[in-house]
Amino acid sequence: MQNVIQLLPDHIANQIAAGEVVQRPASVVKELLENAVDAGATRIELVIRDAGKALIQVVDNGAGMSAQDARMAFARHATSKIRESDDLFNIRTMGFRGEALASIAAVAQVHLRSRLHNAELGTEIVIEGGTFRRSEPCMCPKGTCIEVKNLFFNVPARRNFLKSNPVETRHIINEFTRVALAHPEVSLFFSHNGTEVYDLRPAEAEQRIVDLLGKNYQDKLIEVGENTPYVSIQGFIGLPEVARRKRGDQYFFVNTRFIKSGYLHHAISTAFASLIPDDTHPFYCIAFEIDPSHIDINIHPTKTEIKFDDERTVYQLLHSVIRKGLGDFHQAPQDLGEDEAFVRMLQQSQPTDGDDATIGRLRAVQPPVQRKSNDGPSWADLYPAPQRERPVARRDTPNFLRPEIPATQSEPETTGSLFEKPVSEDAGALTQLGQRYILHQNASGLMVIDQCHAHQRILYERFRKASASQSLASQQLLFPRTLEFSPVDFSYLREILPEVQYLGFDLNEFGPNTFILHGVPVVLKGSKAEQFFEDIIAEVRESGAAADVQEMVRDALAKSIAMKTAMLPGKRLNQQEMRNIVDQLLSCEQPGFSPSGKPTIYKLDLKDLEQFFGGKVN
């Protein structure tokens, strides 16, 4: 039998390794920016073309490299940061495994120029698909300039899996944002296809957040922080008013390394639990400083996940810090009790050498238990839901959204009804429970219908059918409104602009990251325009690249309109209105759920009743 096992050629092994490290152009941007930071650069320039598919160029004024180091940097597992296994637990730099440049060079055309600060000449290296084409001295500025061209030119299958240019650009912006937030002391410049996206000067952390994410965060940030022997926490959280439906504006950094952690996100979410709606997410930018021996960062190829040796302590401390910050700004109750005691205990604990005594004591502390305060009236008592006034139907308002529900309880027999379908003569009587639920008897038992969720489902499907058959009319605003977005949200909205305009929004670009709104669909009010755009962007962002963007935008708009124009709880309905809600709901394509996914119907079968009461009566 012949031998069948053999070593892979280097160029194939590098391409396989590139599959883990280089997933898209943003992966290259991340690695090159982090290398520039590790080199001690105080200014970094990022230039891309065609969303990084044609060119990614990073120029820095860092330490630079000698001729030998420049060539060795492209060898697999060549690194200046690891000498022995113990070094893995004392890492304070971004890169350390020596795979990034080798993986990038294996699937792209790379041109490197680098010069040490005390050298007269620099080094120029050209690599194509992992093969060295040229290495020679050259004249170049101090620092390093690296160009990555035609990514995946030798792996067409990988290139075909890349998304559209707007999608890939957003991923690059996200990576740039993370590096810029972690290093506010570094000057950063970013341009795409010759257009400046960012030009950031060194600034304080709070100002860097505003420069990156937009003026919406100006004067709406709360500084939080706590120093303990185990871990130091510093950063900013947003006021509850800037909480948004979409995820993405949440940042954790551990020793300046961006990480993702659902566990730590839960610690912050529970601290905000009583201040923001359940379907929104708070803004935060939190930096942890911790001894590298207490964390393991070598558990994920992209190094965005790490392990703490005492994650429960970090959870408890983070939760306490956030609650304290909210309390100091009168955004939360002042009863911090156990949290303050925990922080004092942690501050008084002294780290020990060679044992886990301190950590052992801290593990006994459990994550915080959320308690509901019974002191004083609730928010619902202080701010009852407003009573909806009877709207006046405009002549240009589509029939499918023309409100026809009586506005007062003293008009049970009003001629206006919610729907136009008449009540059948043989229909049984319906009952309304708590001015919120409709009780409907059928052959199999009892149906309990949430009239609000049912109304949302009916309006949603009517809007979808109407908007699919024709474009919506636009109502001009008396005063055009200027809307400013973050670069990421701007790119989302710019990508779907034709579809948004088709749906009745008279929206046009008006400078960098800015749109001007001249008109809105006639079914909307201009004062709600920002919220609708936020909802649409959230839907597109969560869904990613869609085959039919117009369908996605139409669906997002339909959900927003249905949720905001449907009846509110507390509306008393007459028999005809209840009957029409039941009939129209049961004729929907998906009657069981509202547009937001909440149930509309609860069924109580006769069999369940018989079983509960001990069987049939003889």
Side-chain angles (χ1 to χ4, degrees):
M1 181 177 179
Q2 294 182 344
N3 297 326
V4 296
I5 298 177
Q6 58 183 353
L7 291 175
L8 285 174
D10 287 343
H11 70 281
I12 297 179
N14 286 337
Q15 288 185 9
I16 295 174
E20 295 182 356
V21 179
V22 186
Q23 300 175 354
R24 56 186 353 128
S27 305
V28 177
V29 171
K30 173 182 180 295
E31 298 293 347
L32 297 185
L33 289 180
E34 289 180 349
N35 283 346
V37 171
D38 285 343
T42 58
R43 176 164 178 82
I44 304 173
E45 297 181 7
L46 170 63
V47 178
I48 64 173
R49 287 205 307 264
D50 294 338
K53 300 173 185 177
L55 171 69
I56 299 172
Q57 181 186 56
V58 174
V59 182
D60 69 70
N61 63 350
M65 291 181 285
S66 65
Q68 181 176 350
D69 284 347
R71 188 177 181 89
M72 284 293 295
F74 292 96
R76 289 190 67 194
H77 306 304
T79 177
S80 62
K81 301 155 186 175
I82 301 294
R83 291 291 183 268
E84 53 189 23
S85 60
D86 290 343
D87 292 338
L88 290 172
F89 301 98
N90 192 34
I91 294 173
R92 291 189 178 273
T93 56
M94 298 296 101
F96 61 91
R97 292 184 298 189
E99 290 182 299
L101 290 181
S103 299
I104 293 169
V107 292
Q109 298 168 339
V110 178
H111 187 187
L112 171 73
R113 293 185 298 274
S114 184
R115 178 166 75 92
L116 296 171
H117 282 220
N118 58 356
E120 296 182 359
L121 292 177
T123 301
E124 181 180 26
I125 292 178
V126 177
I127 305 175
E128 293 184 2
T131 302
F132 278 83
R133 298 298 186 189
R134 187 169 71 251
S135 178
E136 58 189 16
C138 72
M139 294 293 296
C140 63
K142 299 175 182 178
T144 301
C145 172
I146 183 169
E147 297 177 356
V148 178
K149 301 179 181 179
N150 301 321
L151 187 64
F152 299 130
F153 79 100
N154 56 345
V155 193
R158 292 286 305 280
R159 192 176 181 89
N160 292 337
F161 276 96
L162 295 179
K163 305 298 182 182
S164 64
N165 282 2
V167 173
E168 296 297 343
T169 300
R170 288 196 295 271
H171 285 288
I172 292 175
I173 293 175
N174 287 335
E175 295 295 348
F176 179 89
T177 299
R178 294 165 183 172
V179 174
L181 286 175
H183 302 279
E185 75 283 357
V186 177
S187 174
L188 293 122
F189 175 84
F190 175 25
S191 70
H192 180 212
N193 290 339
T195 301
E196 177 185 308
V197 181
Y198 285 111
D199 188 2
L200 304 174
R201 303 300 179 184
E204 297 294 331
E206 182 176 6
Q207 185 59 44
R208 176 59 61 89
I209 293 174
V210 175
D211 293 342
L212 276 168
L213 305 181
K215 296 180 180 178
N216 292 335
Y217 292 100
Q218 187 80 49
D219 300 324
K220 295 180 181 178
L221 298 175
I222 301 174
E223 186 172 6
V224 296
E226 195 67 55
N227 295 314
T228 72
Y230 179 67
V231 63
S232 172
I233 299 178
Q234 303 292 332
F236 293 87
I237 57 176
L239 294 175
E241 62 190 84
V242 299
R244 306 181 67 179
R245 282 189 55 204
K246 68 179 180 65
R247 292 285 299 271
D249 289 339
Q250 292 84 34
Y251 302 92
F252 285 124
F253 300 95
V254 176
N255 296 347
T256 71
R257 181 189 304 277
F258 172 79
I259 68 163
K260 298 177 181 179
S261 174
Y263 185 65
L264 297 182
H265 174 76
H266 182 267
I268 296 181
S269 297
T270 54
F272 275 89
S274 61
L275 302 175
I276 61 176
D278 292 338
D279 60 346
T280 59
H281 304 279
F283 166 82
Y284 56 78
C285 181
I286 305 296
F288 300 85
E289 285 293 330
I290 188 171
D291 189 325
S293 63
H294 293 307
I295 58 175
D296 184 1
I297 62 177
N298 194 28
I299 64 173
H300 193 273
T302 61
K303 301 184 287 292
T304 57
E305 298 178 11
I306 70 172
K307 285 185 177 180
F308 295 89
D309 61 2
D310 192 359
E311 200 168 34
R312 186 173 297 176
T313 294
V314 179
Y315 178 105
Q316 175 70 20
L317 180 60
L318 177 61
H319 182 89
S320 304
V321 167
I322 300 302
R323 288 194 65 197
K324 183 177 183 300
L326 291 170
D328 289 344
F329 276 78
H330 308 291
Q331 297 291 338
Q334 295 292 325
D335 182 17
L336 302 179
E338 296 179 1
D339 291 337
E340 289 186 345
F342 172 83
V343 173
R344 286 196 298 270
M345 182 192 74
L346 195 58
Q347 289 174 331
Q348 295 170 1
S349 301
Q350 298 298 324
T352 58
D353 297 329
D355 61 59
D356 295 331
T358 301
I359 296 176
R361 290 196 300 272
L362 298 179
R363 283 201 177 101
V365 182
Q366 299 295 326
V369 177
Q370 298 297 309
R371 295 184 173 87
K372 295 183 178 180
S373 175
N374 295 324
D375 298 332
S378 64
W379 285 105
D381 296 331
L382 293 175
Y383 301 99
Q387 296 295 323
R388 173 169 295 187
E389 299 179 358
R390 183 173 185 172
V392 179
R394 295 173 51 93
R395 290 185 178 182
D396 54 358
T397 301
N399 291 331
F400 64 89
L401 277 179
R402 187 168 295 160
E404 299 174 355
I405 304 178
T408 63
Q409 300 178 4
S410 60
E411 300 177 339
E413 301 300 331
T414 179
T415 56
S417 61
L418 180 61
F419 308 108
E420 299 176 358
K421 186 173 180 179
V423 181
S424 58
E425 296 181 357
D426 58 348
L430 300 173
T431 303
Q432 189 180 26
L433 178 64
Q435 297 184 12
R436 173 68 185 268
Y437 305 101
I438 300 173
L439 307 184
H440 171 57
Q441 179 181 347
N442 57 19
S444 61
L446 182 68
M447 295 174 58
V448 182
I449 298 175
D450 186 310
Q451 65 189 41
C452 303
H453 294 167
H455 194 198
Q456 292 173 5
R457 165 55 61 178
I458 295 166
L459 292 180
Y460 167 76
E461 294 201 3
R462 286 189 173 190
F463 181 89
R464 288 299 309 272
K465 292 177 182 178
S467 62
S469 60
Q470 61 182 353
S471 61
L472 299 182
S474 178
Q475 175 181 335
Q476 293 299 299
L477 300 177
L478 183 60
F479 300 103
R481 308 182 64 175
T482 301
L483 307 177
E484 185 175 347
F485 298 89
S486 68
V488 176
D489 287 350
F490 178 82
S491 66
Y492 276 108
L493 196 52
R494 188 179 186 183
E495 181 182 3
I496 61 177
L497 184 59
E499 288 73 24
V500 170
Q501 293 171 335
Y502 176 84
L503 294 176
F505 288 98
D506 187 354
L507 186 70
N508 299 281
E509 289 190 45
F510 190 67
N513 304 326
T514 305
F515 287 96
I516 186 167
L517 181 66
H518 293 281
V520 297
V522 294
V523 296
L524 300 183
K525 295 181 179 180
S527 60
K528 297 181 179 180
E530 291 90 341
Q531 181 62 47
F532 281 105
F533 286 126
E534 182 178 324
D535 293 343
I536 291 172
I537 292 172
E539 290 287 339
V540 176
R541 189 168 188 168
E542 292 172 2
S543 302
D548 190 348
V549 177
Q550 185 177 14
E551 184 72 11
M552 181 190 302
V553 175
R554 185 182 294 119
D555 185 74
L557 186 59
K559 287 181 181 179
S560 296
I561 291 177
M563 305 260 314
K564 291 176 175 60
T565 58
M567 70 174 70
L568 297 175
K571 178 63 187 175
R572 179 176 295 177
L573 304 177
N574 60 35
Q575 284 288 314
Q576 181 177 358
E577 291 167 340
M578 288 189 287
R579 173 62 60 185
N580 285 329
I581 284 182
V582 173
D583 291 344
Q584 293 293 330
L585 177 65
L586 296 181
S587 64
C588 289
E589 295 179 359
Q590 296 182 351
F593 297 92
S594 72
S596 61
K598 297 179 180 179
T600 60
I601 302 173
Y602 177 79
K603 295 181 180 180
L604 184 61
D605 293 336
L606 289 175
K607 293 181 180 179
D608 296 333
L609 290 174
E610 292 170 357
Q611 183 178 2
F612 178 80
F613 288 108
K616 294 183 179 180
V617 178
N618 295 326

